[in-house]
Amino acid sequence: MSSIALETVLPVSEALLGYADCLDQDRLEDWPQCFVPEGVYRVVSRENEVLGLPAPIVYLYSRAMMMDRVTAIRDALTFEPVYTRHVMGMPRVWQSEAGLRSETSFSVYQTTQEGRTRLYAVGQYQDLLEENPLGGLLFRERRVVLDTFAVYNLMALPL
Amino acid sequence: MSSIALETVLPVSEALLGYADCLDQDRLEDWPQCFVPEGVYRVVSRENEVLGLPAPIVYLYSRAMMMDRVTAIRDALTFEPVYTRHVMGMPRVWQSEAGLRSETSFSVYQTTQEGRTRLYAVGQYQDLLEENPLGGLLFRERRVVLDTFAVYNLMALPL
Amino acid sequence: MSSIALETVLPVSEALLGYADCLDQDRLEDWPQCFVPEGVYRVVSRENEVLGLPAPIVYLYSRAMMMDRVTAIRDALTFEPVYTRHVMGMPRVWQSEAGLRSETSFSVYQTTQEGRTRLYAVGQYQDLLEENPLGGLLFRERRVVLDTFAVYNLMALPL
C-alpha cells in the first residue's frame, strides 16, 4: 500500500459522501449514476469474506441492472418507509495497478416515521474508482463487506 | 455544488470538531462562542424537513439566547448527568452565494455514570460558516436535521 | 492548540486507520508494531478521566508487553469469536511541545457469527505520534478514554 497524494483523498471523500447522500436523501434513481456504465456493485457477508468464499449476496454488474433494482424497489416496496443515515469513517486511499482504491468503515442507521432510530448495519466499503470525464470520480467497483446480516429488510435497499 | 479547495476542508473540520468538543467535554458555556454574535442555531425534525414544513423544534438566533439556554440547563438540570460523545463523518463542503457551506452526518451517544452507552440521536448538520477575525471559522447558521426524536431528554442539551 | 499544516493531518489519519485495521482484520500480532518499541498503551475510564484519577484500566508500556498481551489473548480466548469494526471521526491534530498530538472520537461494533451487531464501546483516542524512520507515523502513546465499561469481555481485546 503505497502512500497517496493529499490531492487524491478529497475527491475520494467527495465520491463517498455523494453516494451516501443519494441513499440518505431517497434519491435512489441517482444511485446508479455514481458508477461507470459497466460498474460493479457487490455485497458480500463478512463471514464469506473471512472464509474466502466468493458468493455475493447481491451482484449487479452494470448501471442498467442497478436501475432495474431501483425500479423494483419503487414498485414493490411493502415495508414501512424509513429514513436512512450513513456515518462513515475516513477512507484509506491508495493507488493499485487496477487504479485508485479505497476502504472505508461505515455504519448505517434507520429511523422510523415515529423517530425511533436503530443501527441497521455496519461494514466496510472496498472501492475501485476512476475519473469521471465530467469531473470528480465514479465507482468502477464497490464491494460492500457486510458485518451485519441478521436484519429483516436488509437486501431491499442499496447500501 | 462546485468543487472546493483542499485548504478549505481542514478549517471546516476543525470548526466541527471544536464545536463537538465543547459539548462532549461539558464546556457548555463555550458553545455559544462557536457562533458569530448574531448566529442562528436551529433544530428541525427530519420528518418536517422532508415534508417541507419550516417549524423548528429549537430556534435560537443570537449568542445571547444561546447563553440563556445554557444558564437554564445549568440551573434546571434534574435528570441524571450523562457523558455525551459525538462521532461525525467527514463534511461535504462547498462555496455558496451566502458563503461557505457544509453538511455532515453525525451520531451522538450518551453514557450513564455506570458506563452504559446508548445511541442518543443521529442526523445531519447543515452549516453556514464564516471567517473568525481571530482565526479559524465560526458558525453563522447551524441547522441540525434530527432523524431521532423519540428520546426523553433530547431537547435539553444542544446537539 | 496551534493550527496545523494540512500535510500533517493525512499521515495521522493513515496511522489511525492502519491501527484500526489491525484490530478489525484480527491481525492482533501487528498491533504492537503500530507503536514505537517503548510505546505506551493505556485505557482509562471516562469517569476517572473527569474526576482526575490517574488509575488506568490497562497499562502497557512497551511493545514486548503488548506482544505478551496478544499471546495471552490467543491462548486463553474462551468467549465466542466476534468481528469488530471501528468507525472513527476525523482526528483533531496539533503540535505540542512533546510532539504531534491528536484526539479522535471512536465507536467500536462487535458482530457475532450469526450476523448480529451491537455497539461495543465508544470513547476517544488521545495520541502522541512520531515519525517512523521507515515512513509514516508510529504511536508513542495511545490513551483510550473509554465511555463504555459495562460490557462483559471489554478488557480482553485491544481497543
Side-chain angles (χ1 to χ4, degrees), chain A residues 6-7 9-10 13-14 16-19 21 23-27 83-91 104 107 109 111-119, chain B residues 2-6 9 46-51 87-93 103 105-107 109 119 121-124 126 145-151:
Chain A
L6 197 56
E7 289 70 28
V9 174
L10 188 60
S13 148
E14 289 191 344
L16 292 165
L17 292 167
Y19 179 107
D21 202 55
L23 303 183
D24 287 353
Q25 300 305 323
D26 195 28
R27 295 186 289 101
Y83 303 125
T84 66
R85 186 71 71 190
H86 287 68
V87 180
M88 295 180 283
M90 299 163 291
T104 313
S107 53
Y109 297 96
T111 300
T112 65
Q113 306 283 320
E114 290 79 37
R116 265 173 245 281
T117 301
R118 60 168 183 198
L119 180 66
Chain B
S2 70
S3 200
I4 197 75
L6 198 55
V9 174
R46 182 147 180 200
E47 196 176 21
N48 277 8
E49 162 91 351
V50 168
L51 296 173
V87 180
M88 294 180 284
M90 300 164 289
R92 244 185 142 187
V93 180
E103 291 182 353
S105 288
F106 68 85
S107 54
Y109 298 96
L119 179 67
V122 304
Q124 188 184 50
Q126 299 178 346
V145 178
L146 197 58
D147 296 14
T148 318
F149 50 88
V151 295

Side-chain angles (χ1 to χ4, degrees), chain C residues 19 23 26 28 31 41 43 58 69-70 73-74 77 79-84 108 110 120 146 153-159:
Chain C
Y19 179 107
L23 303 183
D26 196 27
L28 290 184
W31 168 65
Y41 171 78
V43 182
V58 178
R69 169 66 61 119
V70 170
I73 292 171
R74 293 292 191 207
L77 204 71
F79 49 83
E80 187 201 12
V82 290
Y83 304 123
T84 66
V108 187
Q110 286 194 335
Y120 179 55
L146 197 58
N153 63 353
L154 191 61
M155 293 317 127
L157 295 167
L159 282 158

